[in-house]
mmCIF file of all heavy atoms in Angstrom:
data_model
loop_
_atom_site.group_PDB
_atom_site.id
_atom_site.type_symbol
_atom_site.label_atom_id
_atom_site.label_comp_id
_atom_site.label_asym_id
_atom_site.label_seq_id
_atom_site.Cartn_x
_atom_site.Cartn_y
_atom_site.Cartn_z
ATOM 1 N N ALA A 317 125.057 40.017 81.200
ATOM 2 C CA ALA A 317 125.835 39.736 82.388
ATOM 3 C C ALA A 317 125.023 39.202 83.514
ATOM 4 O O ALA A 317 125.465 38.396 84.268
ATOM 5 C CB ALA A 317 126.410 41.220 82.879
ATOM 6 N N PHE A 318 123.719 39.618 83.558
ATOM 7 C CA PHE A 318 122.826 38.969 84.527
ATOM 8 C C PHE A 318 122.642 37.497 84.246
ATOM 9 O O PHE A 318 122.639 36.713 85.118
ATOM 10 C CB PHE A 318 121.489 39.677 84.543
ATOM 11 C CG PHE A 318 120.469 39.114 85.429
ATOM 12 C CD1 PHE A 318 120.568 39.150 86.807
ATOM 13 C CD2 PHE A 318 119.328 38.453 84.946
ATOM 14 C CE1 PHE A 318 119.595 38.648 87.669
ATOM 15 C CE2 PHE A 318 118.393 37.850 85.742
ATOM 16 C CZ PHE A 318 118.538 37.944 87.183
ATOM 17 N N LEU A 319 122.419 37.233 82.985
ATOM 18 C CA LEU A 319 122.188 35.789 82.590
ATOM 19 C C LEU A 319 123.479 34.887 82.820
ATOM 20 O O LEU A 319 123.236 33.852 83.341
ATOM 21 C CB LEU A 319 121.905 35.700 81.030
ATOM 22 C CG LEU A 319 120.535 36.194 80.549
ATOM 23 C CD1 LEU A 319 120.491 36.271 79.045
ATOM 24 C CD2 LEU A 319 119.448 35.279 81.083
ATOM 25 N N ALA A 320 124.561 35.429 82.582
ATOM 26 C CA ALA A 320 125.782 34.575 82.685
ATOM 27 C C ALA A 320 126.177 34.597 84.190
ATOM 28 O O ALA A 320 126.661 33.536 84.693
ATOM 29 C CB ALA A 320 126.948 35.173 81.910
ATOM 30 N N GLY A 321 125.926 35.646 84.868
ATOM 31 C CA GLY A 321 126.296 35.664 86.283
ATOM 32 C C GLY A 321 127.837 35.359 86.475
ATOM 33 O O GLY A 321 128.668 35.852 85.684
ATOM 34 N N ASP A 322 128.101 34.553 87.406
ATOM 35 C CA ASP A 322 129.606 34.117 87.579
ATOM 36 C C ASP A 322 129.779 32.710 87.060
ATOM 37 O O ASP A 322 130.611 31.991 87.550
ATOM 38 C CB ASP A 322 130.019 34.113 89.104
ATOM 39 C CG ASP A 322 129.041 33.473 89.999
ATOM 40 O OD1 ASP A 322 128.028 32.853 89.544
ATOM 41 O OD2 ASP A 322 129.290 33.514 91.280
ATOM 42 N N ASP A 323 128.869 32.321 86.071
ATOM 43 C CA ASP A 323 128.942 31.000 85.609
ATOM 44 C C ASP A 323 130.302 30.574 85.057
ATOM 45 O O ASP A 323 130.743 29.436 85.313
ATOM 46 C CB ASP A 323 127.814 30.759 84.562
ATOM 47 C CG ASP A 323 127.145 29.443 84.670
ATOM 48 O OD1 ASP A 323 126.916 29.011 85.745
ATOM 49 O OD2 ASP A 323 126.733 28.934 83.628
ATOM 50 N N VAL A 324 130.910 31.494 84.285
ATOM 51 C CA VAL A 324 132.199 31.057 83.678
ATOM 52 C C VAL A 324 133.224 30.844 84.762
ATOM 53 O O VAL A 324 134.108 29.973 84.515
ATOM 54 C CB VAL A 324 132.620 32.132 82.594
ATOM 55 C CG1 VAL A 324 133.040 33.434 83.315
ATOM 56 C CG2 VAL A 324 133.623 31.645 81.680
ATOM 57 N N VAL A 325 133.238 31.640 85.781
ATOM 58 C CA VAL A 325 134.199 31.391 86.916
ATOM 59 C C VAL A 325 133.914 30.036 87.634
ATOM 60 O O VAL A 325 134.857 29.232 87.895
ATOM 61 C CB VAL A 325 134.187 32.591 87.860
ATOM 62 C CG1 VAL A 325 135.122 32.299 89.015
ATOM 63 C CG2 VAL A 325 134.576 33.878 87.071
ATOM 64 N N LEU A 326 132.652 29.822 87.949
ATOM 65 C CA LEU A 326 132.297 28.573 88.607
ATOM 66 C C LEU A 326 132.735 27.331 87.744
ATOM 67 O O LEU A 326 133.011 26.301 88.280
ATOM 68 C CB LEU A 326 130.776 28.613 88.905
ATOM 69 C CG LEU A 326 130.332 29.594 89.913
ATOM 70 C CD1 LEU A 326 128.828 29.717 90.036
ATOM 71 C CD2 LEU A 326 130.941 29.342 91.283
ATOM 72 N N ASP A 327 132.574 27.465 86.437
ATOM 73 C CA ASP A 327 132.798 26.441 85.496
ATOM 74 C C ASP A 327 134.227 25.948 85.562
ATOM 75 O O ASP A 327 134.553 24.892 84.965
ATOM 76 C CB ASP A 327 132.366 26.767 84.118
ATOM 77 C CG ASP A 327 130.874 26.500 83.901
ATOM 78 O OD1 ASP A 327 130.170 26.057 84.758
ATOM 79 O OD2 ASP A 327 130.358 26.815 82.739
ATOM 80 N N ARG A 328 135.102 26.753 86.153
ATOM 81 C CA ARG A 328 136.508 26.301 86.274
ATOM 82 C C ARG A 328 136.664 25.001 86.978
ATOM 83 O O ARG A 328 137.537 24.150 86.750
ATOM 84 C CB ARG A 328 137.349 27.408 86.861
ATOM 85 C CG ARG A 328 137.482 28.622 85.957
ATOM 86 C CD ARG A 328 138.265 29.745 86.734
ATOM 87 N NE ARG A 328 138.212 30.943 85.906
ATOM 88 C CZ ARG A 328 138.532 32.267 86.406
ATOM 89 N NH1 ARG A 328 138.868 32.329 87.721
ATOM 90 N NH2 ARG A 328 138.556 33.188 85.643
ATOM 91 N N ASP A 329 135.793 24.852 88.061
ATOM 92 C CA ASP A 329 135.838 23.606 88.782
ATOM 93 C C ASP A 329 135.259 22.376 87.923
ATOM 94 O O ASP A 329 135.708 21.252 88.180
ATOM 95 C CB ASP A 329 134.880 23.774 90.075
ATOM 96 C CG ASP A 329 135.667 24.113 91.348
ATOM 97 O OD1 ASP A 329 136.765 24.789 91.157
ATOM 98 O OD2 ASP A 329 135.281 23.778 92.452
ATOM 99 N N PHE A 330 134.412 22.680 87.014
ATOM 100 C CA PHE A 330 133.826 21.607 86.196
ATOM 101 C C PHE A 330 134.597 21.356 84.958
ATOM 102 O O PHE A 330 134.360 20.337 84.236
ATOM 103 C CB PHE A 330 132.458 22.111 85.747
ATOM 104 C CG PHE A 330 131.367 21.859 86.796
ATOM 105 C CD1 PHE A 330 130.164 22.488 86.568
ATOM 106 C CD2 PHE A 330 131.514 21.080 87.861
ATOM 107 C CE1 PHE A 330 129.098 22.340 87.494
ATOM 108 C CE2 PHE A 330 130.537 20.869 88.753
ATOM 109 C CZ PHE A 330 129.297 21.547 88.587
ATOM 110 N N PHE A 331 135.536 22.235 84.563
ATOM 111 C CA PHE A 331 136.044 22.306 83.204
ATOM 112 C C PHE A 331 136.660 20.964 82.760
ATOM 113 O O PHE A 331 136.469 20.480 81.652
ATOM 114 C CB PHE A 331 137.043 23.390 82.993
ATOM 115 C CG PHE A 331 137.368 23.791 81.665
ATOM 116 C CD1 PHE A 331 136.278 24.255 80.791
ATOM 117 C CD2 PHE A 331 138.583 23.921 81.162
ATOM 118 C CE1 PHE A 331 136.548 24.664 79.498
ATOM 119 C CE2 PHE A 331 138.873 24.288 79.806
ATOM 120 C CZ PHE A 331 137.811 24.651 79.047
ATOM 121 N N LEU A 332 137.530 20.416 83.486
ATOM 122 C CA LEU A 332 138.165 19.112 83.157
ATOM 123 C C LEU A 332 137.169 18.025 83.071
ATOM 124 O O LEU A 332 137.362 17.135 82.180
ATOM 125 C CB LEU A 332 139.298 18.759 84.200
ATOM 126 C CG LEU A 332 140.508 19.748 84.160
ATOM 127 C CD1 LEU A 332 141.467 19.293 85.261
ATOM 128 C CD2 LEU A 332 141.219 19.755 82.853
ATOM 129 N N HIS A 333 136.108 17.991 83.894
ATOM 130 C CA HIS A 333 135.087 17.023 83.734
ATOM 131 C C HIS A 333 134.325 17.161 82.448
ATOM 132 O O HIS A 333 133.964 16.198 81.836
ATOM 133 C CB HIS A 333 134.161 17.056 84.895
ATOM 134 C CG HIS A 333 134.868 16.767 86.254
ATOM 135 N ND1 HIS A 333 135.416 15.595 86.473
ATOM 136 C CD2 HIS A 333 134.968 17.543 87.389
ATOM 137 C CE1 HIS A 333 135.976 15.680 87.821
ATOM 138 N NE2 HIS A 333 135.665 16.805 88.274
ATOM 139 N N ASP A 334 134.102 18.531 82.048
ATOM 140 C CA ASP A 334 133.471 18.786 80.860
ATOM 141 C C ASP A 334 134.229 18.365 79.672
ATOM 142 O O ASP A 334 133.646 17.797 78.631
ATOM 143 C CB ASP A 334 133.190 20.297 80.744
ATOM 144 C CG ASP A 334 131.977 20.645 79.963
ATOM 145 O OD1 ASP A 334 131.455 19.855 79.149
ATOM 146 O OD2 ASP A 334 131.508 21.813 80.089
ATOM 147 N N ILE A 335 135.503 18.521 79.703
ATOM 148 C CA ILE A 335 136.476 18.081 78.635
ATOM 149 C C ILE A 335 136.357 16.571 78.551
ATOM 150 O O ILE A 335 136.225 16.042 77.374
ATOM 151 C CB ILE A 335 137.840 18.589 78.863
ATOM 152 C CG1 ILE A 335 137.949 20.106 78.628
ATOM 153 C CG2 ILE A 335 138.887 17.840 77.941
ATOM 154 C CD1 ILE A 335 139.258 20.725 79.076
ATOM 155 N N ARG A 336 136.440 15.919 79.660
ATOM 156 C CA ARG A 336 136.382 14.416 79.618
ATOM 157 C C ARG A 336 135.064 13.944 79.037
ATOM 158 O O ARG A 336 135.099 12.974 78.190
ATOM 159 C CB ARG A 336 136.590 13.934 81.056
ATOM 160 C CG ARG A 336 136.524 12.471 81.231
ATOM 161 C CD ARG A 336 136.676 12.036 82.619
ATOM 162 N NE ARG A 336 136.391 10.599 82.839
ATOM 163 C CZ ARG A 336 136.066 10.043 83.950
ATOM 164 N NH1 ARG A 336 135.836 10.811 85.050
ATOM 165 N NH2 ARG A 336 135.776 8.755 84.028
ATOM 166 N N ALA A 337 133.934 14.515 79.467
ATOM 167 C CA ALA A 337 132.675 14.088 78.837
ATOM 168 C C ALA A 337 132.587 14.461 77.350
ATOM 169 O O ALA A 337 131.955 13.661 76.590
ATOM 170 C CB ALA A 337 131.523 14.862 79.633
ATOM 171 N N SER A 338 133.198 15.573 76.974
ATOM 172 C CA SER A 338 133.164 15.865 75.431
ATOM 173 C C SER A 338 133.957 14.828 74.676
ATOM 174 O O SER A 338 133.440 14.446 73.593
ATOM 175 C CB SER A 338 133.790 17.243 75.326
ATOM 176 O OG SER A 338 133.020 18.257 75.835
#
Side-chain angles (χ1 to χ4, degrees):
F318 176 71
L319 287 170
D322 53 0
D323 222 33
V324 71
V325 175
L326 295 172
D327 276 358
R328 292 171 185 169
D329 264 30
F330 280 165
F331 198 55
L332 293 176
H333 297 300
D334 206 347
I335 291 172
R336 182 182 169 203
S338 293

